[in-house]
Amino acid sequence: MGRFTYSDLIGMDLGKLAIAVSDWKAMAGELSKLTATVRDGLAKKAAGARWQGANATVTREFVGKTAKEFTDLHGEAESIANVLADAHVELVRYQKQAKTLTDAARKGDPAHNPPDPALLISDGPGGTVRVIEALCKPEGPDQRTKDRMQWYADTLAGIVQHAAEVDAAAARALRKSHGGAPENAGHATYTSLDEEQLPRAKELAGLGKDANEKQRAELRRLWESLSPEARAQLWLKQKDDLSAAGILSPTMPQIAADGGAGRHDAQSAGFEEWATKQKMRLLTEGADWKGMTDASRHMDHYLSNSGRPMQLPVDKMMADVPAFKSYVDDTVRLKQDEWRRQAVEEFKRNGGKPVAFPVEAKQPKGFYFTQEADENWFYAVGGVNSNVTGVVTAVPDAHGNPKVSLDYQANAWDRYNWDEGKGVNVGPLDIPDGQMAKLHRVGLAQEFDMVGSSDVRHYDLGGASPDGELPGPGEGRDGREDSGREQQQDRTTNRPPGRTSAR
């Protein structure tokens, strides 16, 4: 069989799998009845009979083996039913996700200004997903459209891979349940696919920050597939490793808010553009002199013309601008009641055992750093998209009641560009609207993505209405302050955790 593809997932008839689940559940139910009958009837009578001699010994042994065989057959049928049921639930979810994303891509977004164009999705080479504009333009897609195309391609390819991994895990579990011996039941038994997936998740989590991008992606997929109970086992024992491996990375789209200044290096530079670049060089020095180190660093990277992403020091941003920290705190508070309620329900559903589930929240509007509030971040970032990602856990307290908590991080992303209508004035230097943006079009500077995350913080959600202070900027799990640590890097040194962009 060839590689599992996007078309395979979209066209898969999961109704047949649903029928198989129903049949195996019925089989397990009938075998349960037969097992009880054999155990409580035939085997019990044989063991209690007063029959003595060689025939009695042989018969008792035969009846005992037969009873065990019924027990083993019931266990095998129940295991197969559990594996197929889990696989069916997972595959239905991924197929629905893929179809929903496909429909959204085809529709585009007419409400956006300018409207987002419709996109077409098909199979790419090697199991990838190809995304193109429905109506191609001579000048090609703008930056926002490129970001949308890349996000759909990456997200759908991940869903296809996830479905393939669930299919493979189910196949392994079915082989182990059957044991390869038609005449002999009684092998591995499964209550869910957790038994097949959790060991691999533990192995990948153990790699921590040393996990490569492929391993991180697999770990994120496994994390999503695990049950709340299995997820809690993993999180409570390896939360530091999981955080280091990027399990809290945002999943929602991180795309440019606009098309940017246009295509890079599409025009010829003249004397005016060269003069503007020299003025910008002086401006970066002036910004440094005024203490606007982040604005200076980002301007300098723009002029370096590499286009490489840069890391945003989110803890420092919150420390420098209290309003931004309040914005992040509000994002948590808007969802905390819902998360607490969900955690308590999951806890009860799992019989009072520890549970954990991932959460992600974003406010309808991003945050804007005004020039009045902080000139440094106004020129360094301007408007920024931000969300909160984390893990909610519920564990039993000393009395068996749920104790709910949240481990979370703040994420921020932006695209450094200078649209028409954006100028800059620092000290005696003034660069009018449009001149900064033109440097990108003539190839003397280049727009770039900025992305970053804060340290992981811990917040107690266990009270009836938690209203205490949320952790401050740089206060990680151990409470130590570490604001600005991400700034200890060269201006053109980058540490991109993934492809993201939005401004």
Side-chain angles (χ1 to χ4, degrees), residues 79-80 83 168-178 188 190 193 196:
S79 180
I80 291 172
V83 168
R172 291 193 301 270
L174 290 174
R175 283 196 295 269
K176 292 176 184 177
S177 296
H178 183 264
Y190 291 81
L193 280 178
E196 188 65 34

Side-chain angles (χ1 to χ4, degrees), residues 416-470:
Y416 190 92
N417 59 29
W418 292 89
D419 299 331
E420 296 294 340
K422 290 182 181 177
V424 62
N425 187 311
V426 177
L429 293 174
D430 177 38
I431 300 179
D433 295 351
Q435 289 190 11
M436 302 277 277
K438 194 171 183 182
L439 295 186
H440 172 84
R441 294 195 296 273
V442 300
L444 294 180
Q446 191 167 351
E447 298 171 357
F448 58 91
D449 297 333
M450 299 179 289
V451 61
S453 299
S454 71
D455 287 332
V456 178
R457 297 97 184 283
H458 184 83
Y459 184 44
D460 182 13
L461 294 175
S465 56
D467 55 1
E469 288 293 319
L470 278 91

Side-chain angles (χ1 to χ4, degrees), residues 39-59:
R39 182 186 63 242
D40 299 335
L42 185 62
K44 193 173 183 180
K45 289 180 180 178
R50 296 180 181 180
W51 192 14
Q52 301 293 327
N55 285 340
T57 301
V58 172
T59 301

Side-chain angles (χ1 to χ4, degrees), residues 276-301 303 376 416 424-429 431 436 491:
T276 298
K277 183 166 184 173
Q278 296 311 309
K279 286 176 67 177
M280 279 196 71
R281 293 283 190 200
L282 293 173
L283 190 146
T284 61
E285 297 299 325
D288 252 343
W289 181 78
K290 291 188 63 177
M292 298 163 54
T293 54
D294 301 284
S296 174
R297 183 171 67 112
H298 292 183
M299 290 179 191
D300 192 60
H301 189 64
L303 297 176
N376 173 46
Y416 190 92
V424 62
N425 187 311
V426 177
L429 293 174
I431 300 179
M436 302 277 277
R491 285 181 175 175

Side-chain angles (χ1 to χ4, degrees), residues 298-315:
H298 292 183
M299 290 179 191
D300 192 60
H301 189 64
Y302 179 63
L303 297 176
S304 75
N305 205 20
S306 71
R308 293 194 302 268
M310 288 194 76
Q311 189 78 5
L312 281 176
V314 178
D315 282 307

